Amino acid sequence: MSERRQPVLGILGGGQLARMLALAAAPLGVKTLVVDSAGDACAGQVAPLVVADWKDYAALERFASMVDVVTFDFENVPAETAHWLAERVAVSPVPRALAVAQDRLAEKMLFRECGLDTPAFVPVDTHADLQRAVAQIGAPAILKTRRLGYDGKGQFRLKTPADVDTAWAALGAQGAAHGLILEAFVPFERELSVIAVRSREGDFRTWPLTRNWHTDGVLSLSLAPAPDIDQLQRRATDLARTLAERLDYVGVFALELFVKDGQLLGNEMAPRVHNSGHWTIEGAHTSQFENHVRAVLGLPLGDTGARGLSCMFNWIGALPDPAPVLQAVDGHWHDYGKQARPGRKVGHATVCAPDALALIARVDDIARALGRGEQAEPVLRLLG
Ligand code: AMP
């Protein structure tokens, strides 16, 4: 009898996304192998970890020989590394999708080509460009690094045109290396995200839209399905499908959206599973993590419908007391096993309920017990 060979999923980056991918892969009989330059990368607590940096081609060669497909927990893997691996082993999503998502300018141009409007933007490489861009776009505006920015990092908010010099002092050096982009500040009504998945055969699905709230540029709270979205679900799904087909995308991705005057504007895309989709672990029939594993390994996709309502709290910097979440009905605790550090995502909690009234009661109980009334307030106000 021939020995059964289990598929092996290789993951570049060993943070919490890789950790949750590995946990979702296990019941499917899929093994995972993770690469990260840090020996204490938290995915290493649940899956074998190769400690290597993105230019260690000897280690990457061995890694490629041990896996069936390579995917990402981190979109800032250098494009050369992704291309180099793609010559040796299947890589999903395709390196081109990664390259587009790594550059805010390329990303916004693609959004527009796909019919998704964006905040007004102008590329900026020099101080003089910045002056011209501010004259064109006006203030307030946000100066962002084109590359390597995430969670509000690599950004400077200009309140008035007089802030040009301060903004250049803050980001000009990074601009010289990778370029910058000035975006109009959008006084949006809401922030939404759509998490989507496309299979190798082109089967395409989205989860219900998620409503998100950020603090200092970092996701703080999510509610799904987002209430009062009228036609927006259909529009977001159509746009995500167009984008996925244009990129020949395989796997899960997220599209972060602003709603202004009832219309969608594209902020950014993440070519991977996304923080605003963590609620799908307990709140949807199939989680974003499981469907990503299924997609990249060529398995049929699972149902992306919601089981009820879910609210996700992000734990930034340090974990609170888990007890109120553990004691809540349908409360779910996620500790990523990371060291506490200011601004670092160290865990999250999801509370699910069959209807809005039950969700309000559960979220309110947890928020009171943890002294997190301010964090939970937007959901309580919206549903109350
Ligand atoms: P980003 O890293 O670009 O996703 O930005 C993080 C957060 O900053 C977003 O989720 C928004 O809350 C806010 N933000 C970014 N760009 C803009 C913009 N052009 N107008 C208003 N708010 C923005």
Side-chain angles (χ1 to χ4, degrees), residues 100-258:
V100 169
Q102 281 175 354
D103 180 353
R104 289 186 189 274
L105 183 62
E107 187 175 70
K108 285 199 166 54
M109 286 177 0
L110 178 69
F111 287 173
R112 290 196 172 180
E113 275 167 46
C114 292
L116 172 59
D117 209 357
T118 69
F121 63 88
V122 178
V124 168
D125 291 324
T126 64
H127 185 270
D129 285 351
L130 181 58
Q131 280 175 316
R132 273 193 295 274
V134 172
Q136 193 177 328
I137 282 182
I142 308 189
L143 184 64
K144 299 182 179 179
T145 55
R146 273 172 61 178
R147 296 175 176 279
L148 303 173
Y150 63 95
D151 285 345
K153 295 185 180 69
Q155 300 190 7
F156 189 96
R157 296 192 179 197
L158 290 88
K159 293 198 181 67
T160 74
D163 291 335
V164 162
D165 289 343
T166 335
W168 188 254
L171 293 181
Q174 289 181 58
H178 300 297
L180 301 166
I181 183 170
L182 186 76
E183 284 179 28
F185 182 84
V186 180
F188 52 75
E189 291 125 31
R190 298 183 261 173
E191 282 193 88
L192 301 174
S193 57
V194 60
I195 313 290
V197 60
R198 185 166 176 269
S199 74
R200 282 191 201 166
E201 286 72 34
D203 183 12
F204 177 85
R205 298 172 188 206
T206 54
W207 281 264
L209 280 169
T210 305
R211 173 99 186 243
N212 301 311
W213 290 268
H214 292 78
T215 307
D216 299 327
V218 183
L219 185 67
S220 164
L221 193 73
S222 292
L223 172 66
D228 308 322
I229 50 166
D230 305 320
Q231 301 302 310
L232 295 179
Q233 176 77 48
R234 180 126 180 241
R235 170 106 180 105
T237 297
D238 288 347
L239 287 163
R241 182 188 285 111
T242 305
L243 205 64
E245 288 174 356
R246 187 72 73 96
L247 293 169
D248 199 16
Y249 197 96
V250 173
V252 166
F253 66 98
L255 202 51
E256 294 183 37
L257 302 158
F258 300 141

Side-chain angles (χ1 to χ4, degrees), residues 238-314:
D238 288 347
L239 287 163
R241 182 188 285 111
T242 305
L243 205 64
E245 288 174 356
R246 187 72 73 96
L247 293 169
D248 199 16
Y249 197 96
V250 173
V252 166
F253 66 98
L255 202 51
E256 294 183 37
L257 302 158
F258 300 141
V259 183
K260 170 89 195 332
D261 302 326
Q263 301 298 314
L264 296 178
L265 295 176
N267 175 31
E268 64 178 348
M269 113 175 242
R272 52 169 169 75
V273 287
H274 191 254
N275 197 166
S276 68
H278 289 359
W279 66 269
T280 62
I281 298 176
E282 296 89 5
H285 292 292
T286 314
S287 79
Q288 61 167 349
F289 300 99
E290 176 168 347
N291 259 348
H292 185 70
V293 175
R294 291 190 192 203
V296 302
L297 283 163
L299 301 170
L301 300 181
D303 181 0
T304 51
R307 294 179 189 278
L309 283 170
S310 299
C311 174
M312 186 217 60
F313 292 82
N314 241 9

